[in-house]
Amino acid sequence: MTDTEQRERLRPASIADVAAKAGVSSQTVSRVSNGLDTVKAETRDRVLAAMAELDYRPNSAARALKSGRFQTIGVLMFTLQNIGSIRILDAITAEAATHGFSIDLISIGDPSTGGITDALSRLDHEAVDGIIVILEAHELSEHSITFPDRIPSVLVDSREYDDRISVNADQRQGARLAVEHLLGLGHPTVWHVAGPTETSNAASDRANSWRETLRSHGIEPPEPLGGSWRAESGYEAGRSIAAREDVSAVFCANDQLALGVLRALHEAGRDVPGEISVVGFDDNPESAEYWPPLTTVRQNFAEVGQRAFALLNQAIQRETVDPGLRLIDNELVVRASTGAYGNPV
Protein backbone atom coordinates (compact mmCIF):
# COMPACT_ATOMS: atom_id res chain seq x y z
CA MET A 1 0.00 0.00 0.00
CA THR A 2 1.45 3.38 -0.99
CA ASP A 3 1.81 6.29 1.45
CA THR A 4 -0.97 8.11 -0.40
CA GLU A 5 -3.29 5.09 -0.12
CA GLN A 6 -2.46 4.69 3.56
CA ARG A 7 -3.19 8.38 4.29
CA GLU A 8 -6.45 8.07 2.34
CA ARG A 9 -7.46 5.05 4.42
CA LEU A 10 -6.70 6.85 7.68
CA ARG A 11 -8.47 10.05 6.62
CA PRO A 12 -11.93 10.45 8.19
CA ALA A 13 -14.76 9.99 5.71
CA SER A 14 -16.08 13.24 4.27
CA ILE A 15 -19.54 14.26 3.19
CA ALA A 16 -18.38 13.83 -0.40
CA ASP A 17 -17.35 10.23 0.33
CA VAL A 18 -20.79 9.46 1.73
CA ALA A 19 -22.48 11.13 -1.23
CA ALA A 20 -20.44 9.07 -3.71
CA LYS A 21 -21.11 5.85 -1.80
CA ALA A 22 -24.86 6.47 -1.60
CA GLY A 23 -25.14 7.86 -5.13
CA VAL A 24 -26.65 11.16 -3.99
CA SER A 25 -25.58 14.79 -3.81
CA SER A 26 -23.64 16.28 -0.91
CA GLN A 27 -26.67 18.48 -0.20
CA THR A 28 -28.78 15.34 0.35
CA VAL A 29 -26.21 13.93 2.79
CA SER A 30 -26.25 17.27 4.61
CA ARG A 31 -30.05 17.20 4.89
CA VAL A 32 -29.98 13.68 6.34
CA SER A 33 -27.17 14.63 8.72
CA ASN A 34 -29.17 17.60 9.98
CA GLY A 35 -32.29 15.52 10.56
CA LEU A 36 -34.43 17.30 7.97
CA ASP A 37 -37.56 15.46 6.85
CA THR A 38 -37.38 16.60 3.21
CA VAL A 39 -35.54 13.45 2.06
CA LYS A 40 -37.42 10.36 0.87
CA ALA A 41 -37.28 7.44 3.28
CA GLU A 42 -35.56 5.16 0.76
CA THR A 43 -32.88 7.75 0.04
CA ARG A 44 -32.39 8.50 3.74
CA ASP A 45 -31.88 4.80 4.48
CA ARG A 46 -29.29 4.58 1.72
CA VAL A 47 -27.41 7.60 3.05
CA LEU A 48 -27.51 6.29 6.62
CA ALA A 49 -26.18 2.93 5.46
CA ALA A 50 -23.31 4.69 3.66
CA MET A 51 -22.55 6.74 6.78
CA ALA A 52 -22.40 3.57 8.87
CA GLU A 53 -20.21 1.70 6.36
CA LEU A 54 -17.74 4.58 6.08
CA ASP A 55 -17.92 5.40 9.82
CA TYR A 56 -18.83 8.96 8.87
CA ARG A 57 -18.94 11.47 11.72
CA PRO A 58 -20.54 14.82 10.89
CA ASN A 59 -18.41 17.80 11.86
CA SER A 60 -20.69 19.33 14.46
CA ALA A 61 -18.63 22.50 14.78
CA ALA A 62 -18.70 23.16 11.04
CA ARG A 63 -22.39 22.31 10.90
CA ALA A 64 -23.09 24.74 13.73
CA LEU A 65 -21.19 27.52 11.97
CA LYS A 66 -23.16 26.89 8.80
CA SER A 67 -26.62 26.43 10.31
CA GLY A 68 -26.27 28.51 13.46
CA ARG A 69 -27.35 25.48 15.54
CA PHE A 70 -25.46 23.07 17.77
CA GLN A 71 -28.08 20.26 18.05
CA THR A 72 -27.76 20.45 21.81
CA ILE A 73 -30.25 21.57 24.42
CA GLY A 74 -29.49 22.47 28.00
CA VAL A 75 -31.55 21.06 30.86
CA LEU A 76 -31.38 22.73 34.26
CA MET A 77 -32.60 20.84 37.34
CA PHE A 78 -32.37 21.48 41.07
CA THR A 79 -31.92 17.86 42.07
CA LEU A 80 -31.50 14.37 40.68
CA GLN A 81 -33.25 12.88 43.72
CA ASN A 82 -36.82 13.79 42.74
CA ILE A 83 -38.54 10.84 41.02
CA GLY A 84 -40.92 13.00 39.00
CA SER A 85 -38.15 15.24 37.69
CA ILE A 86 -36.05 12.23 36.70
CA ARG A 87 -38.97 10.75 34.75
CA ILE A 88 -39.54 14.09 33.00
CA LEU A 89 -35.82 14.24 32.17
CA ASP A 90 -36.00 10.70 30.76
CA ALA A 91 -38.80 11.74 28.39
CA ILE A 92 -36.93 14.90 27.34
CA THR A 93 -33.78 12.87 26.65
CA ALA A 94 -35.68 10.33 24.54
CA GLU A 95 -37.41 13.05 22.49
CA ALA A 96 -34.14 14.91 22.03
CA ALA A 97 -32.38 11.79 20.73
CA THR A 98 -35.24 11.13 18.30
CA HIS A 99 -34.77 14.61 16.84
CA GLY A 100 -30.97 14.44 16.73
CA PHE A 101 -30.25 16.56 19.81
CA SER A 102 -27.90 15.82 22.66
CA ILE A 103 -28.42 16.97 26.27
CA ASP A 104 -26.23 19.24 28.37
CA LEU A 105 -27.46 18.66 31.94
CA ILE A 106 -26.77 20.96 34.87
CA SER A 107 -27.99 20.10 38.37
CA ILE A 108 -27.74 22.87 40.96
CA GLY A 109 -28.22 22.72 44.70
CA ASP A 110 -29.03 26.42 44.99
CA PRO A 111 -32.70 26.99 44.12
CA SER A 112 -32.39 30.76 44.37
CA THR A 113 -32.87 33.19 41.54
CA GLY A 114 -29.12 33.92 41.61
CA GLY A 115 -28.27 30.23 41.40
CA ILE A 116 -30.58 29.77 38.43
CA THR A 117 -29.20 32.85 36.66
CA ASP A 118 -25.61 31.60 37.11
CA ALA A 119 -26.51 28.16 35.74
CA LEU A 120 -28.31 29.70 32.76
CA SER A 121 -25.24 31.82 32.07
CA ARG A 122 -23.13 28.65 32.03
CA LEU A 123 -25.45 27.08 29.48
CA ASP A 124 -25.34 30.25 27.41
CA HIS A 125 -21.57 29.76 27.08
CA GLU A 126 -21.79 26.03 26.34
CA ALA A 127 -23.26 26.33 22.84
CA VAL A 128 -26.83 25.11 23.28
CA ASP A 129 -29.80 25.81 21.01
CA GLY A 130 -32.40 26.00 23.77
CA ILE A 131 -32.93 25.45 27.49
CA ILE A 132 -35.49 23.54 29.56
CA VAL A 133 -35.66 24.50 33.23
CA ILE A 134 -37.37 21.95 35.49
CA LEU A 135 -38.42 24.50 38.07
CA GLU A 136 -39.30 23.30 41.57
CA ALA A 137 -38.53 26.25 43.83
CA HIS A 138 -41.42 28.11 45.40
CA GLU A 139 -42.54 31.54 44.18
CA LEU A 140 -39.58 32.37 41.96
CA SER A 141 -40.29 35.31 39.70
CA GLU A 142 -39.24 35.12 36.08
CA HIS A 143 -38.40 38.81 36.30
CA SER A 144 -35.69 38.10 38.88
CA ILE A 145 -34.06 35.41 36.72
CA THR A 146 -31.81 36.54 33.89
CA PHE A 147 -32.51 34.33 30.86
CA PRO A 148 -30.09 34.42 27.88
CA ASP A 149 -31.66 36.64 25.24
CA ARG A 150 -30.50 34.62 22.23
CA ILE A 151 -31.70 31.21 23.41
CA PRO A 152 -35.34 30.05 23.63
CA SER A 153 -36.38 28.45 26.90
CA VAL A 154 -39.24 26.42 28.34
CA LEU A 155 -40.08 26.09 32.03
CA VAL A 156 -41.48 22.90 33.54
CA ASP A 157 -43.58 24.45 36.27
CA SER A 158 -47.23 24.87 37.18
CA ARG A 159 -47.07 28.66 37.42
CA GLU A 160 -48.01 31.16 34.74
CA TYR A 161 -45.03 33.34 33.83
CA ASP A 162 -45.12 36.58 31.86
CA ASP A 163 -43.53 36.21 28.43
CA ARG A 164 -42.41 32.65 29.18
CA ILE A 165 -43.44 29.25 27.87
CA SER A 166 -44.24 26.76 30.63
CA VAL A 167 -45.76 23.28 30.84
CA ASN A 168 -46.57 20.91 33.67
CA ALA A 169 -49.05 18.43 35.07
CA ASP A 170 -52.05 20.21 36.59
CA GLN A 171 -51.24 19.86 40.28
CA ARG A 172 -54.48 21.47 41.44
CA GLN A 173 -56.62 19.25 39.22
CA GLY A 174 -54.83 16.16 40.54
CA ALA A 175 -55.36 17.11 44.17
CA ARG A 176 -59.00 17.87 43.45
CA LEU A 177 -59.43 14.37 41.99
CA ALA A 178 -58.05 12.83 45.18
CA VAL A 179 -60.21 14.87 47.58
CA GLU A 180 -63.39 14.49 45.51
CA HIS A 181 -62.81 10.72 45.42
CA LEU A 182 -62.65 10.51 49.20
CA LEU A 183 -65.62 12.82 49.76
CA GLY A 184 -67.55 10.80 47.19
CA LEU A 185 -66.98 7.72 49.35
CA GLY A 186 -68.85 9.49 52.15
CA HIS A 187 -65.93 10.63 54.31
CA PRO A 188 -66.90 13.72 56.34
CA THR A 189 -63.54 15.41 55.75
CA VAL A 190 -60.09 14.69 54.32
CA TRP A 191 -56.81 15.19 56.19
CA HIS A 192 -53.66 16.15 54.31
CA VAL A 193 -50.06 15.03 54.70
CA ALA A 194 -48.29 17.83 52.84
CA GLY A 195 -45.02 18.11 50.99
CA PRO A 196 -42.58 21.01 51.53
CA THR A 197 -45.05 23.83 50.78
CA GLU A 198 -42.53 26.55 51.67
CA THR A 199 -40.07 25.49 48.98
CA SER A 200 -42.03 23.53 46.37
CA ASN A 201 -44.60 24.84 43.90
CA ALA A 202 -46.09 21.36 43.47
CA ALA A 203 -46.53 20.83 47.21
CA SER A 204 -48.06 24.28 47.62
CA ASP A 205 -50.47 23.79 44.70
CA ARG A 206 -51.63 20.40 45.99
CA ALA A 207 -52.18 21.73 49.52
CA ASN A 208 -54.06 24.81 48.29
CA SER A 209 -56.28 22.71 46.04
CA TRP A 210 -57.03 20.35 48.95
CA ARG A 211 -58.19 23.33 51.03
CA GLU A 212 -60.21 24.85 48.19
CA THR A 213 -61.96 21.58 47.41
CA LEU A 214 -62.98 21.00 51.02
CA ARG A 215 -64.24 24.57 51.38
CA SER A 216 -66.24 24.26 48.16
CA HIS A 217 -68.13 21.49 50.00
CA GLY A 218 -68.62 23.65 53.09
CA ILE A 219 -65.89 21.82 55.06
CA GLU A 220 -63.24 23.72 56.99
CA PRO A 221 -59.87 21.98 56.39
CA PRO A 222 -58.05 20.48 59.38
CA GLU A 223 -54.45 21.45 60.05
CA PRO A 224 -52.12 19.72 57.54
CA LEU A 225 -49.36 17.39 58.69
CA GLY A 226 -46.02 16.43 57.15
CA GLY A 227 -43.73 18.96 55.52
CA SER A 228 -41.28 17.06 53.31
CA TRP A 229 -41.44 14.58 50.42
CA ARG A 230 -39.85 11.74 52.38
CA ALA A 231 -41.51 8.55 53.67
CA GLU A 232 -40.13 9.32 57.14
CA SER A 233 -42.24 12.48 57.25
CA GLY A 234 -45.28 10.42 56.25
CA TYR A 235 -44.52 7.93 58.99
CA GLU A 236 -44.43 10.63 61.68
CA ALA A 237 -47.67 12.11 60.36
CA GLY A 238 -49.18 8.63 60.22
CA ARG A 239 -48.39 8.04 63.91
CA SER A 240 -50.33 11.20 64.78
CA ILE A 241 -53.22 10.13 62.54
CA ALA A 242 -53.28 6.62 64.01
CA ALA A 243 -53.74 8.05 67.51
CA ARG A 244 -56.92 9.90 66.50
CA GLU A 245 -60.41 8.48 66.22
CA ASP A 246 -61.79 11.32 64.06
CA VAL A 247 -59.68 10.64 60.95
CA SER A 248 -61.19 8.44 58.24
CA ALA A 249 -59.53 9.74 55.05
CA VAL A 250 -56.04 11.03 54.24
CA PHE A 251 -54.69 12.63 51.08
CA CYS A 252 -50.88 12.45 50.88
CA ALA A 253 -48.92 14.87 48.69
CA ASN A 254 -46.90 12.03 47.16
CA ASP A 255 -46.65 8.25 47.23
CA GLN A 256 -43.59 8.19 49.50
CA LEU A 257 -45.53 10.06 52.18
CA ALA A 258 -48.41 7.61 51.72
CA LEU A 259 -45.99 4.70 52.22
CA GLY A 260 -44.91 6.15 55.57
CA VAL A 261 -48.54 6.73 56.59
CA LEU A 262 -49.46 3.14 55.71
CA ARG A 263 -46.60 1.76 57.80
CA ALA A 264 -47.63 3.84 60.83
CA LEU A 265 -51.26 2.78 60.50
CA HIS A 266 -50.30 -0.90 60.20
CA GLU A 267 -48.06 -0.68 63.28
CA ALA A 268 -50.93 0.89 65.23
CA GLY A 269 -53.34 -1.85 64.15
CA ARG A 270 -55.53 0.55 62.18
CA ASP A 271 -57.18 -1.08 59.17
CA VAL A 272 -56.74 0.42 55.69
CA PRO A 273 -59.22 1.08 54.19
CA GLY A 274 -61.68 -0.27 56.78
CA GLU A 275 -60.92 2.47 59.30
CA ILE A 276 -58.84 4.96 57.31
CA SER A 277 -58.62 5.45 53.52
CA VAL A 278 -55.34 6.71 52.03
CA VAL A 279 -54.65 8.37 48.66
CA GLY A 280 -51.22 9.28 47.27
CA PHE A 281 -49.96 11.35 44.36
CA ASP A 282 -47.62 10.46 41.43
CA ASP A 283 -48.32 6.74 40.88
CA ASN A 284 -44.75 5.58 41.25
CA PRO A 285 -44.03 2.17 39.66
CA GLU A 286 -44.03 0.40 43.05
CA SER A 287 -47.25 2.02 44.36
CA ALA A 288 -49.36 -0.87 43.07
CA GLU A 289 -47.22 -3.15 45.29
CA TYR A 290 -47.85 -1.29 48.57
CA TRP A 291 -50.09 -3.05 51.08
CA PRO A 292 -52.82 -2.42 50.40
CA PRO A 293 -52.17 -1.34 46.79
CA LEU A 294 -52.29 2.45 46.80
CA THR A 295 -55.04 4.58 45.31
CA THR A 296 -53.16 7.53 43.82
CA VAL A 297 -53.11 10.33 41.27
CA ARG A 298 -51.13 9.40 38.17
CA GLN A 299 -49.06 12.21 36.67
CA ASN A 300 -48.15 11.77 33.03
CA PHE A 301 -44.48 12.64 33.41
CA ALA A 302 -43.70 11.35 29.93
CA GLU A 303 -46.17 13.74 28.31
CA VAL A 304 -44.81 16.66 30.33
CA GLY A 305 -41.29 15.95 29.09
CA GLN A 306 -42.43 15.34 25.52
CA ARG A 307 -44.49 18.55 25.46
CA ALA A 308 -41.63 20.58 26.94
CA PHE A 309 -39.25 19.36 24.26
CA ALA A 310 -41.81 19.87 21.47
CA LEU A 311 -42.42 23.48 22.51
CA LEU A 312 -38.70 24.17 22.75
CA ASN A 313 -38.00 22.55 19.39
CA GLN A 314 -40.68 24.70 17.76
CA ALA A 315 -39.00 27.79 19.18
CA ILE A 316 -35.57 26.58 18.04
CA GLN A 317 -36.98 26.12 14.51
CA ARG A 318 -38.11 29.78 14.63
CA GLU A 319 -41.78 28.82 14.78
CA THR A 320 -44.11 31.12 16.71
CA VAL A 321 -44.79 29.75 20.18
CA ASP A 322 -47.09 31.87 22.33
CA PRO A 323 -46.06 32.36 25.96
CA GLY A 324 -48.27 30.88 28.64
CA LEU A 325 -48.86 27.77 30.69
CA ARG A 326 -49.87 24.42 29.17
CA LEU A 327 -51.43 22.15 31.80
CA ILE A 328 -51.69 18.37 31.41
CA ASP A 329 -54.50 16.57 33.23
CA ASN A 330 -53.84 13.78 35.72
CA GLU A 331 -55.69 10.51 36.23
CA LEU A 332 -57.03 8.98 39.45
CA VAL A 333 -55.99 5.34 39.81
CA VAL A 334 -58.31 3.60 42.28
CA ARG A 335 -56.83 0.63 44.12
CA ALA A 336 -57.48 -1.06 47.46
CA SER A 337 -56.34 1.66 49.91
CA THR A 338 -59.66 3.56 49.76
CA GLY A 339 -63.14 2.47 50.71
CA ALA A 340 -66.56 3.80 51.69
CA TYR A 341 -66.91 5.61 55.00
CA GLY A 342 -68.37 3.51 57.78
CA ASN A 343 -68.09 0.23 55.87
CA PRO A 344 -65.25 -1.85 57.37
CA VAL A 345 -63.81 -4.45 55.01
Side-chain angles (χ1 to χ4, degrees):
M1 179 182 295
T2 66
D3 289 344
T4 300
E5 289 172 332
Q6 188 172 13
R7 284 195 301 271
E8 188 69 18
R9 184 175 181 180
L10 294 175
R11 176 182 63 81
S14 68
I15 195 169
D17 296 329
V18 176
K21 185 74 175 177
V24 299
S25 67
S26 295
Q27 289 85 348
T28 298
V29 176
S30 179
R31 292 188 187 99
V32 173
S33 178
N34 286 305
L36 300 179
D37 58 5
T38 55
V39 181
K40 292 181 180 179
E42 180 183 348
T43 303
R44 180 184 293 105
D45 291 344
R46 195 162 69 248
V47 171
L48 291 173
M51 287 179 175
E53 184 175 343
L54 296 173
D55 196 24
Y56 171 69
R57 297 289 185 271
N59 188 326
S60 58
R63 184 172 61 192
L65 287 171
K66 183 177 180 180
S67 67
R69 294 177 189 157
F70 302 93
Q71 292 304 116
T72 301
I73 64 170
V75 177
L76 176 60
M77 301 174 62
F78 292 159
T79 177
L80 296 176
Q81 308 258 336
N82 183 293
I83 293 174
S85 295
I86 290 297
R87 289 165 71 180
I88 292 170
L89 174 63
D90 183 61
I92 292 170
T93 302
E95 286 296 299
T98 298
H99 290 81
F101 285 84
S102 58
I103 296 291
D104 188 348
L105 175 64
I106 293 182
S107 176
I108 62 171
D110 175 15
S112 67
T113 54
I116 297 172
T117 296
D118 289 345
L120 289 171
S121 178
R122 284 176 56 193
L123 287 172
D124 188 22
H125 290 86
E126 290 181 13
V128 298
D129 299 307
I131 299 172
I132 296 176
V133 182
I134 301 178
L135 195 60
E136 297 160 355
H138 185 56
E139 295 293 353
L140 288 177
S141 168
E142 82 279 10
H143 297 299
S144 60
I145 302 171
T146 303
F147 287 86
D149 291 333
R150 69 174 187 87
I151 306 175
S153 59
V154 171
L155 307 181
V156 176
D157 188 28
S158 53
R159 307 279 173 173
E160 182 107 29
Y161 293 91
D162 295 339
D163 302 322
R164 292 288 162 195
I165 305 164
S166 57
V167 59
N168 204 2
D170 191 339
Q171 308 297 327
R172 290 176 177 268
Q173 178 259 357
R176 188 164 58 251
L177 286 176
V179 178
E180 293 283 6
H181 169 67
L182 291 166
L183 294 178
L185 291 171
H187 295 279
T189 191
V190 177
W191 288 65
H192 184 45
V193 180
T197 55
E198 296 300 316
T199 59
S200 167
N201 289 339
S204 177
D205 284 345
R206 294 171 197 178
N208 287 334
S209 181
W210 159 73
R211 292 188 184 93
E212 292 165 3
T213 304
L214 287 180
R215 286 174 177 151
S216 72
H217 287 265
I219 303 168
E220 187 59 27
E223 192 68 24
L225 302 170
S228 85
W229 291 125
R230 298 175 63 84
E232 293 90 334
S233 181
Y235 177 70
E236 292 303 319
R239 292 179 64 186
S240 298
I241 290 168
R244 304 182 64 106
E245 296 296 327
D246 58 343
V247 179
S248 68
V250 181
F251 163 48
C252 300
N254 74 355
D255 289 354
Q256 282 81 17
L257 289 168
L259 177 62
V261 168
L262 289 174
R263 176 193 166 195
L265 294 176
H266 291 324
E267 287 182 354
R270 303 296 301 273
D271 183 68
V272 178
E275 295 179 76
I276 300 176
S277 289
V278 178
V279 177
F281 203 111
D282 287 339
D283 193 28
N284 292 334
E286 63 274 13
S287 298
E289 310 307 322
Y290 290 1
W291 186 253
L294 183 66
T295 295
T296 186
V297 176
R298 176 180 294 160
Q299 290 198 81
N300 194 334
F301 295 112
E303 186 174 349
V304 172
Q306 290 162 2
R307 184 79 65 88
F309 176 82
L311 290 166
L312 183 65
N313 194 30
Q314 289 173 20
I316 291 171
Q317 304 302 329
R318 308 286 198 279
E319 297 179 21
T320 300
V321 183
D322 293 330
L325 174 61
R326 283 78 168 170
L327 288 175
I328 296 171
D329 282 347
N330 305 281
E331 174 190 359
L332 181 70
V333 180
V334 179
R335 299 192 179 104
S337 67
T338 53
Y341 177 67
N343 291 318
V345 295

mmCIF file of all heavy atoms in Angstrom, residues 64-81:
data_model
loop_
_atom_site.group_PDB
_atom_site.id
_atom_site.type_symbol
_atom_site.label_atom_id
_atom_site.label_comp_id
_atom_site.label_asym_id
_atom_site.label_seq_id
_atom_site.Cartn_x
_atom_site.Cartn_y
_atom_site.Cartn_z
ATOM 1 N N ALA A 64 -22.541 23.667 12.917
ATOM 2 C CA ALA A 64 -23.092 24.743 13.729
ATOM 3 C C ALA A 64 -22.777 26.105 13.117
ATOM 4 O O ALA A 64 -23.617 27.007 13.114
ATOM 5 C CB ALA A 64 -22.531 24.664 15.146
ATOM 6 N N LEU A 65 -21.548 26.255 12.609
ATOM 7 C CA LEU A 65 -21.193 27.515 11.967
ATOM 8 C C LEU A 65 -22.058 27.784 10.741
ATOM 9 O O LEU A 65 -22.448 28.918 10.465
ATOM 10 C CB LEU A 65 -19.708 27.498 11.559
ATOM 11 C CG LEU A 65 -18.702 27.620 12.698
ATOM 12 C CD1 LEU A 65 -17.296 27.370 12.170
ATOM 13 C CD2 LEU A 65 -18.809 28.992 13.353
ATOM 14 N N LYS A 66 -22.375 26.733 10.021
ATOM 15 C CA LYS A 66 -23.156 26.887 8.799
ATOM 16 C C LYS A 66 -24.629 27.120 9.092
ATOM 17 O O LYS A 66 -25.273 27.985 8.490
ATOM 18 C CB LYS A 66 -22.997 25.636 7.922
ATOM 19 C CG LYS A 66 -23.721 25.733 6.583
ATOM 20 C CD LYS A 66 -23.460 24.487 5.753
ATOM 21 C CE LYS A 66 -24.176 24.571 4.397
ATOM 22 N NZ LYS A 66 -23.933 23.363 3.579
ATOM 23 N N SER A 67 -25.175 26.360 10.056
ATOM 24 C CA SER A 67 -26.618 26.431 10.311
ATOM 25 C C SER A 67 -26.978 27.354 11.457
ATOM 26 O O SER A 67 -28.135 27.752 11.604
ATOM 27 C CB SER A 67 -27.153 25.033 10.628
ATOM 28 O OG SER A 67 -26.633 24.573 11.862
ATOM 29 N N GLY A 68 -25.985 27.715 12.282
ATOM 30 C CA GLY A 68 -26.273 28.512 13.460
ATOM 31 C C GLY A 68 -26.853 27.691 14.600
ATOM 32 O O GLY A 68 -27.325 28.250 15.589
ATOM 33 N N ARG A 69 -26.803 26.350 14.512
ATOM 34 C CA ARG A 69 -27.351 25.480 15.544
ATOM 35 C C ARG A 69 -26.317 24.437 15.952
ATOM 36 O O ARG A 69 -25.482 24.019 15.163
ATOM 37 C CB ARG A 69 -28.630 24.792 15.046
ATOM 38 C CG ARG A 69 -29.757 25.773 14.803
ATOM 39 C CD ARG A 69 -30.977 25.105 14.236
ATOM 40 N NE ARG A 69 -31.951 26.111 13.826
ATOM 41 C CZ ARG A 69 -32.890 25.908 12.924
ATOM 42 N NH1 ARG A 69 -32.987 24.732 12.326
ATOM 43 N NH2 ARG A 69 -33.736 26.866 12.606
ATOM 44 N N PHE A 70 -26.436 24.007 17.210
ATOM 45 C CA PHE A 70 -25.465 23.072 17.768
ATOM 46 C C PHE A 70 -26.055 21.685 18.013
ATOM 47 O O PHE A 70 -25.336 20.784 18.437
ATOM 48 C CB PHE A 70 -24.922 23.632 19.086
ATOM 49 C CG PHE A 70 -24.282 24.984 18.949
ATOM 50 C CD1 PHE A 70 -25.019 26.137 19.166
ATOM 51 C CD2 PHE A 70 -22.960 25.092 18.578
ATOM 52 C CE1 PHE A 70 -24.431 27.384 19.030
ATOM 53 C CE2 PHE A 70 -22.361 26.333 18.436
ATOM 54 C CZ PHE A 70 -23.106 27.483 18.658
ATOM 55 N N GLN A 71 -27.381 21.523 17.797
ATOM 56 C CA GLN A 71 -28.085 20.257 18.047
ATOM 57 C C GLN A 71 -27.901 19.786 19.484
ATOM 58 O O GLN A 71 -27.769 18.596 19.753
ATOM 59 C CB GLN A 71 -27.618 19.184 17.056
ATOM 60 C CG GLN A 71 -28.043 19.438 15.608
ATOM 61 C CD GLN A 71 -29.547 19.598 15.434
ATOM 62 O OE1 GLN A 71 -30.027 20.660 15.055
ATOM 63 N NE2 GLN A 71 -30.304 18.550 15.714
ATOM 64 N N THR A 72 -27.878 20.744 20.390
ATOM 65 C CA THR A 72 -27.761 20.449 21.809
ATOM 66 C C THR A 72 -28.737 21.336 22.573
ATOM 67 O O THR A 72 -28.864 22.523 22.268
ATOM 68 C CB THR A 72 -26.333 20.717 22.324
ATOM 69 O OG1 THR A 72 -25.409 19.903 21.605
ATOM 70 C CG2 THR A 72 -26.220 20.421 23.812
ATOM 71 N N ILE A 73 -29.424 20.752 23.547
ATOM 72 C CA ILE A 73 -30.254 21.567 24.425
ATOM 73 C C ILE A 73 -29.758 21.416 25.855
ATOM 74 O O ILE A 73 -29.255 20.365 26.254
ATOM 75 C CB ILE A 73 -31.751 21.198 24.335
ATOM 76 C CG1 ILE A 73 -32.012 19.770 24.825
ATOM 77 C CG2 ILE A 73 -32.273 21.387 22.932
ATOM 78 C CD1 ILE A 73 -33.486 19.462 24.979
ATOM 79 N N GLY A 74 -29.859 22.493 26.599
ATOM 80 C CA GLY A 74 -29.493 22.474 28.001
ATOM 81 C C GLY A 74 -30.702 22.161 28.864
ATOM 82 O O GLY A 74 -31.803 22.634 28.588
ATOM 83 N N VAL A 75 -30.495 21.350 29.893
ATOM 84 C CA VAL A 75 -31.554 21.057 30.858
ATOM 85 C C VAL A 75 -31.028 21.418 32.238
ATOM 86 O O VAL A 75 -29.973 20.938 32.660
ATOM 87 C CB VAL A 75 -31.975 19.579 30.823
ATOM 88 C CG1 VAL A 75 -33.029 19.307 31.890
ATOM 89 C CG2 VAL A 75 -32.516 19.209 29.450
ATOM 90 N N LEU A 76 -31.768 22.271 32.922
ATOM 91 C CA LEU A 76 -31.381 22.728 34.255
ATOM 92 C C LEU A 76 -32.344 22.142 35.280
ATOM 93 O O LEU A 76 -33.557 22.294 35.167
ATOM 94 C CB LEU A 76 -31.418 24.259 34.303
ATOM 95 C CG LEU A 76 -31.146 24.929 35.644
ATOM 96 C CD1 LEU A 76 -29.762 24.571 36.143
ATOM 97 C CD2 LEU A 76 -31.289 26.440 35.519
ATOM 98 N N MET A 77 -31.797 21.452 36.280
ATOM 99 C CA MET A 77 -32.599 20.835 37.342
ATOM 100 C C MET A 77 -32.003 21.215 38.691
ATOM 101 O O MET A 77 -30.809 21.476 38.804
ATOM 102 C CB MET A 77 -32.608 19.306 37.205
ATOM 103 C CG MET A 77 -33.143 18.785 35.896
ATOM 104 S SD MET A 77 -32.954 16.980 35.739
ATOM 105 C CE MET A 77 -33.970 16.396 37.106
ATOM 106 N N PHE A 78 -32.856 21.203 39.721
ATOM 107 C CA PHE A 78 -32.375 21.484 41.071
ATOM 108 C C PHE A 78 -31.821 20.244 41.756
ATOM 109 O O PHE A 78 -30.984 20.345 42.636
ATOM 110 C CB PHE A 78 -33.504 22.054 41.922
ATOM 111 C CG PHE A 78 -33.952 23.426 41.481
ATOM 112 C CD1 PHE A 78 -35.194 23.892 41.832
ATOM 113 C CD2 PHE A 78 -33.142 24.233 40.708
ATOM 114 C CE1 PHE A 78 -35.616 25.151 41.430
ATOM 115 C CE2 PHE A 78 -33.546 25.470 40.297
ATOM 116 C CZ PHE A 78 -34.797 25.941 40.661
ATOM 117 N N THR A 79 -32.328 19.081 41.385
ATOM 118 C CA THR A 79 -31.919 17.856 42.071
ATOM 119 C C THR A 79 -32.124 16.663 41.159
ATOM 120 O O THR A 79 -32.994 16.684 40.284
ATOM 121 C CB THR A 79 -32.726 17.652 43.370
ATOM 122 O OG1 THR A 79 -32.341 16.402 43.967
ATOM 123 C CG2 THR A 79 -34.209 17.636 43.106
ATOM 124 N N LEU A 80 -31.316 15.640 41.369
ATOM 125 C CA LEU A 80 -31.496 14.367 40.678
ATOM 126 C C LEU A 80 -32.113 13.325 41.612
ATOM 127 O O LEU A 80 -32.117 12.145 41.314
ATOM 128 C CB LEU A 80 -30.142 13.862 40.150
ATOM 129 C CG LEU A 80 -29.483 14.739 39.092
ATOM 130 C CD1 LEU A 80 -28.108 14.188 38.719
ATOM 131 C CD2 LEU A 80 -30.349 14.859 37.855
ATOM 132 N N GLN A 81 -32.658 13.790 42.738
ATOM 133 C CA GLN A 81 -33.253 12.884 43.722
ATOM 134 C C GLN A 81 -34.769 12.800 43.581
ATOM 135 O O GLN A 81 -35.394 11.909 44.133
ATOM 136 C CB GLN A 81 -32.925 13.372 45.139
ATOM 137 C CG GLN A 81 -31.445 13.615 45.361
ATOM 138 C CD GLN A 81 -30.761 12.508 46.121
ATOM 139 O OE1 GLN A 81 -31.393 11.786 46.854
ATOM 140 N NE2 GLN A 81 -29.472 12.372 45.933
#
